[in-house]
Structures are given as structure tokens and as C-alpha cells.
């Protein structure tokens, strides 16, 4: 298997009125590095794209990447550039990016031009920014690429903030990371699971994740047995909940369960809208926590209960 480490530069409208909702970010450059299984560079890709949607360079984009429209006008159209890129990628490869945005925007641009999608379900990829945090920080922090390059003492031999250079440095960071980190796979959700069979169930070292198919609304989702289940991801037993699912804000739901073998397990459900379409989908994480953190869940539940009571009282008096 090869690694396709790529980066995109994109342009956007200078005003909200000029934005086209189907393509808020128009890709203007694709840069990529191909690594073999030993993380050695075996290929390079770099092409500018002639813009067709936003003909004026956004002021922040212009100052960040130092590109002028005259330069972009020399590039080819999006579709042939992307076709060449995907052919260059090959079939036995894993996409790798710095952060979670590039694959989504690539697929959004492809959809705008009615290209065949990369896939019609969640697309697995390696988020090198996340892997760096798992390896060297708290797993939650998200650092800039240049910070990681400095941290790992990687030589800075070309400028940052162009598609190819950022792909090049991301590949250099990936080569420094232990291969065991690659089990921490990410999923691009431009295409959500279409049915129960396509839903994502994956277990990592210290938590489990579930990504659902689409539901009409959160009420329907929260009635689904799989969404609300709290099964131990170590011993696979259904756990009795100490605290049933509750929400402090209508968007996130929490629960607390207990496994006699592994202790307290926190459940978190995030309700996410399905892009421009109607409906929602669910991202659920299950994670074993300390007794002290379990107490915090109990406090959060009590706080949510008090807020609901106050809201009902205000509604009666208004």
C-alpha cells in the first residue's frame, strides 16, 4: 500500500452574497507526495487549477499563499486536473492529510462538477495532525503543521503555505510517526452511511466510535437501539446504565454505565445535521473513565435537570 499525502489550496467569495452554497471553497491547487510502504517518497504531484466559480482572489487567500489570478489562469480546468491526480494516486493507496478538511472539499468540488465520487460511503484516511497529537500531546490539541515540523526537527527547505510544500512537510511528519499510530483511522463523512450495513463501528486503544446512518430527526435517532446501546467494547457485554441518556443542550447526549470488569464507561452522542440535506446522523463515543470523572457526569446531569426545571417554571409564568 502507498500513502497519498495531499494538500489543497482553495479560494472563496469576498462577500457572503457572492458565495455559491454548493461550492463555498473552490480548489485552485492540488499538491501531493506519494510514499511507499516504508515512507519513502516515490512520486510528486503539483498542479494549479483555472478557477471558474470565484474569479477574484479572496484577500486572505492572496496574502497567505501569494498567488495571483494571472498565475491561476495558466492552469487547467478542475476536472482534468483531478482526473490526472486520481490516476496518479493509483488504487492501492491511503489518503493522508493535515487535518480533516481537504478530503471533504475535494469531494464537494467533485460533486459540483458531477464527477464520479471517490466512494459513496464514509472514506477512511489518516489525519496526520490528529496522529501527531496522539503521539506527542494530549490527543485533543490540534497544532499547526509548522509547529510539528519544528517539534520533530525537520529541515525547512521549501516555503510553507502552498499545496505541494504543505503536502511535502506533512509527509515528512508522517515518516517520523510510529506505524502503530495508523490504527487511529479517521473517516471523511461527505458521504454518510446509507444503511445500517454501512454504519461505522470501530474500537481504538481507549475508546470506541460508532457513526450511524441518516435519521429523519434526533427523536427518531434517539429511539434506535444501536444508537442508545452501551456495550462494553472490551468484553462485549450490554451494560446497565447508571445514568440514562440526557442532554444539557439538545445537541450532545451523555450516559454513564458500569462494567464489573472494566469500571465506569462514559457515553457521548453528538447529533449532526446531514449537510444541506434534511435529517441527522449520530456520532457516538464510548470511553472508560475514572470514578472522579463519573462523578462529573452525575454533576452535569443534575445541572441539566435544574436548568430544565427553571425553563419549565419560566414557561408557566410567561
Amino acid at each position: 500500500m502507498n500513502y497519498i499525502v495531499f494538500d489543497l489550496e482553495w479560494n472563496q467569495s469576498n462577500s457572503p452574497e457572492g458565495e455559491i452554497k454548493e461550492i463555498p471553497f473552490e480548489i485552485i491547487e492540488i499538491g501531493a507526495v506519494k510514499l511507499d510502504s516504508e515512507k519513502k517518497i516515490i512520486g510528486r504531484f503539483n498542479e494549479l487549477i483555472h478557477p471558474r466559480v470565484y474569479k477574484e482572489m479572496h484577500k486572505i487567500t492572496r496574502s497567505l499563499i501569494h498567488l495571483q489570478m494571472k498565475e491561476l489562469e495558466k492552469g487547467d480546468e478542475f476536472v482534468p486536473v483531478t482526473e490526472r491526480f486520481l490516476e496518479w494516486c493509483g488504487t492501492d493507496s491511503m489518503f493522508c492529510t493535515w487535518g480533516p478538511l481537504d478530503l471533504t472539499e475535494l469531494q464537494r468540488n467533485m460533486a459540483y462538477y458531477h464527477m464520479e465520487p471517490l466512494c459513496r460511503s464514509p472514506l477512511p484516511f489518516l489525519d496526520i495532525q490528529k496522529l501527531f497529537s496522539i503521539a506527542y500531546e494530549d490527543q485533543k490539541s490540534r497544532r499547526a503543521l509548522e509547529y510539528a515540523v519544528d517539534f520533530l526537527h525537520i529541515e525547512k527547505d521549501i516555503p510553507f503555505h502552498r499545496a505541494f510544500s504543505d503536502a511535502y512537510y506533512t509527509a515528512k511528519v508522517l515518516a517520523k510517526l510510529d506505524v502503530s499510530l495508523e490504527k487511529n483511522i479517521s473517516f471523511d463523512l461527505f458521504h454518510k452511511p446509507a444503511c445500517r450495513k454501512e454504519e461505522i463501528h470501530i474500537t481504538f486503544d481507549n475508546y470506541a466510535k460508532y457513526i450511524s446512518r441518516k435519521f429523519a430527526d434526533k427523536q427518531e435517532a434517539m429511539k434506535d437501539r444501536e444508537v442508545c446501546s452501551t456495550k462494553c467494547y472490551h468484553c462485549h457485554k450490554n451494560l446497565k446504565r447508571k445514568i440514562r441518556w440526557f442532554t444539557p443542550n439538545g445537541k450532545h447526549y451523555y450516559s454513564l454505565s458500569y462494567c464489573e470488569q472494566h469500571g465506569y464507561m462514559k457515553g457521548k452522542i453528538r447529533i449532526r445535521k446531514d449537510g444541506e440535506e434534511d435529517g441527522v446522523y449520530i456520532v457516538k463515543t464510548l470511553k472508560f473513565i475514572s470514578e472522579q470523572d463519573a462523578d462529573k457526569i452525575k454533576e452535569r446531569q443534575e445541572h441539566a435537570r435544574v436548568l430544565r426545571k427553571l425553563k419549565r417554571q419560566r414557561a408557566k409564568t410567561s
Side-chain angles (χ1 to χ4, degrees):
M1 181 190 74
N2 295 324
Y3 300 86
I4 304 299
V5 187
F6 78 96
D7 186 82
L8 307 173
E9 299 297 345
W10 53 67
N11 190 29
Q12 63 192 94
S13 173
N14 273 301
S15 67
E17 296 78 17
E19 181 180 295
I20 298 177
K21 67 177 184 178
E22 291 84 6
I23 184 171
F25 303 104
E26 181 182 19
I27 295 171
I28 55 175
E29 186 178 26
I30 301 176
V33 173
K34 183 185 294 185
L35 304 178
D36 64 15
S37 59
E38 296 181 352
K39 309 289 176 53
K40 295 179 180 178
I41 295 177
I42 58 173
R44 302 169 186 239
F45 184 95
N46 190 24
E47 286 204 40
L48 295 176
I49 295 173
H50 190 136
R52 289 301 182 191
V53 180
Y54 303 117
K55 302 298 183 66
E56 179 183 341
M57 188 72 76
H58 191 275
K59 55 185 178 181
I60 296 178
T61 303
R62 183 173 58 249
S63 64
L64 185 65
I65 66 177
H66 305 293
L67 263 177
Q68 303 294 329
M69 274 294 171
K70 288 184 179 180
E71 295 176 77
L72 294 177
E73 289 171 358
K74 300 175 184 177
D76 204 348
E77 303 287 336
F78 174 81
V79 172
V81 171
T82 304
E83 288 175 342
R84 287 194 291 272
F85 170 61
L86 296 177
E87 183 179 1
W88 173 85
C89 290
T91 55
D92 185 21
S93 57
M94 171 69 74
F95 286 118
C96 310
T97 59
W98 188 263
L101 301 179
D102 289 84
L103 263 176
T104 296
E105 293 311 324
L106 177 61
Q107 294 192 89
R108 195 192 311 276
N109 277 244
M110 291 174 66
Y112 180 80
Y113 287 103
H114 308 291
M115 295 182 69
E116 187 71 17
L118 296 176
C119 69
R120 299 183 184 276
S121 58
L123 181 61
F125 72 104
L126 294 179
D127 180 347
I128 311 306
Q129 186 185 46
K130 182 178 79 173
L131 300 189
F132 175 82
S133 182
I134 294 172
Y136 299 107
E137 301 199 315
D138 61 0
Q139 303 187 29
K140 297 180 180 180
S141 302
R142 295 295 182 262
R143 297 287 192 174
L145 176 58
E146 190 166 4
Y147 175 93
V149 168
D150 289 336
F151 182 90
L152 295 170
H153 305 291
I154 294 170
E155 181 185 1
K156 294 191 281 189
D157 48 1
I158 56 176
F160 282 84
H161 305 307
R162 287 292 297 270
F164 176 77
S165 60
D166 287 1
Y168 171 80
Y169 284 122
T170 301
K172 291 285 188 178
V173 173
L174 173 60
K176 292 274 190 177
L177 299 178
D178 192 285
V179 69
S180 65
L181 291 166
E182 295 175 19
K183 61 188 173 185
N184 295 287
I185 200 83
S186 296
F187 290 90
D188 180 80
L189 297 175
F190 184 77
H191 292 285
K192 318 297 187 301
C195 59
R196 189 182 292 276
K197 186 178 180 180
E198 292 181 2
E199 291 180 330
I200 303 296
H201 297 265
I202 188 167
T203 300
F204 301 104
D205 284 342
N206 60 351
Y207 73 100
K209 176 178 280 191
Y210 160 73
I211 303 172
S212 78
R213 66 196 185 281
K214 187 170 75 171
F215 295 95
D217 50 40
K218 69 178 181 180
Q219 287 76 22
E220 180 186 30
M222 294 305 295
K223 292 178 181 177
D224 185 80
R225 180 176 296 179
E226 186 62 42
V227 169
C228 294
S229 68
T230 52
K231 181 180 292 187
C232 175
Y233 51 87
H234 291 312
C235 59
H236 308 294
K237 295 179 181 178
N238 288 315
L239 304 182
K240 184 176 181 180
R241 287 189 286 275
K242 296 286 186 179
I243 295 178
R244 294 183 178 275
W245 292 103
F246 72 94
T247 177
N249 54 19
K251 295 181 180 179
H252 297 159
Y253 288 76
Y254 298 89
S255 72
L256 182 67
S257 305
Y258 186 77
C259 175
E260 292 184 357
Q261 186 175 353
H262 300 102
Y264 288 102
M265 188 176 74
K266 171 187 173 181
K268 181 178 180 179
I269 287 175
R270 286 170 286 175
I271 311 285
R272 291 187 172 177
K273 291 185 178 180
D274 187 18
E276 298 296 330
E277 301 179 11
D278 294 330
V280 301
Y281 68 100
I282 301 301
V283 178
K284 178 177 69 176
T285 53
L286 300 173
K287 183 177 183 179
F288 283 100
I289 59 176
S290 66
E291 188 170 350
Q292 291 76 17
D293 287 334
D295 289 336
K296 292 178 182 178
I297 298 293
K298 297 173 184 176
E299 292 171 5
R300 180 175 287 182
Q301 182 201 34
E302 178 59 21
H303 181 67
R305 188 190 68 80
V306 170
L307 290 179
R308 286 197 304 272
K309 184 177 180 180
L310 288 173
K311 188 176 181 180
R312 287 195 298 267
Q313 290 174 345
R314 289 177 188 145
K316 289 180 181 180
T317 58
S318 60

